Amino acid sequence: MRVQSLSLAVAGIALLAPTTSPTVVRPTAGAPGAPASHQEGSVRAADLLSRVRDCTPVSRGRYRTDEGAPATIPVCGTEEAVFWTADMDIDCDGRPGPRCNSGTDPLFSAATAFQQSDGRHLSAESLPYIVVPGPSDVWDHRDHGVRGGSVAAVVYRDRVAYAVVGDTGPRGIIGEASYATAEALGIRPDPRGGGAPSGVTYIVFKNSRATPIESHASAVAVGERLARQFARVADADPGGPAPPPVRDGEDEADGTADVRPPAWEEDWGPSDAAEGGEGE
């Protein structure tokens, strides 16, 4: 997580606007420095955004985008997901690498709130992840089916990228994602002055999970499946029958586990032990 002053955030912002029309790119594990894709999977940004035009708040208050900014951002909810639209600050925390380390990021921390299946901290420069606010009286993500490894669709302009919940941040600030998430969306990922000042929508699917948390291929497969269902609801005729749900195991060929674990299943892996800890 990072705490960034409003003046620094505004002064350092630089955006890379897309210059070509969106192209569909199938999910790959990716690597730091790889060219950013315009589209991950086949669900369009417009289809997802049409579903989140109206906000039913699930938070008891609103969040700031940066320290010193006014609190204007609610967390909204539907039956399938929670979402918010904010800025994007760059989180470079986790295992150090050539792009994310104490030399490139003055706020660098070698720890993330959630860990890989092998117990190591996540890598911000290679794994697309988002940051959720630490639990508070305003909102506790755990009460809404959101944990470490939950899958999110992140939308910016005409681009969609899938990510996992990988870190927690300050209890009063929202709008942050890893270096790799920004890169995938065509947002400048520099932790010293990159990011986007507004217009980033984070859609976190309730009770979803990438298995293991560090598998971006799993996040894409699960996210694409749930995003298709989420967008289909928006397209359904309000007076007609609801579209058929996407069942667990429907895409068994993609090698992912069931999207929704049974209600009694509490095994979220070793990352749960650290929730609300080092990443705040």
Side-chain angles (χ1 to χ4, degrees), residues 202-219:
Y202 305 77
I203 304 169
V204 186
F205 300 110
K206 296 179 180 179
N207 300 314
S208 62
R209 179 173 54 179
T211 308
I213 187 174
E214 67 268 24
S215 171
H216 183 53
S218 177

Side-chain angles (χ1 to χ4, degrees), residues 111-122 166 213-214 270-274 278:
T112 49
F114 308 107
Q115 287 81 56
Q116 294 187 167
S117 56
D118 61 4
R120 295 190 298 165
H121 292 283
L122 306 179
I213 187 174
E214 67 268 24
S271 61
D272 259 4
E278 296 168 299

Side-chain angles (χ1 to χ4, degrees), residues 218-243:
S218 177
V220 172
V222 172
E224 170 80 352
R225 181 189 308 168
L226 293 179
R228 285 201 311 267
Q229 182 175 343
F230 191 69
R232 268 211 306 264
V233 173
D235 292 338
D237 179 359

Side-chain angles (χ1 to χ4, degrees), residues 4 23 31 52 74 78 114 121 154 159 168 174 177 195 205 225 227 243 259:
Q4 194 172 32
T23 56
V52 298
T78 69
F114 308 107
H121 292 283
V154 189
R159 303 184 182 193
T168 57
I174 204 166
F205 300 110
R225 181 189 308 168
V259 175

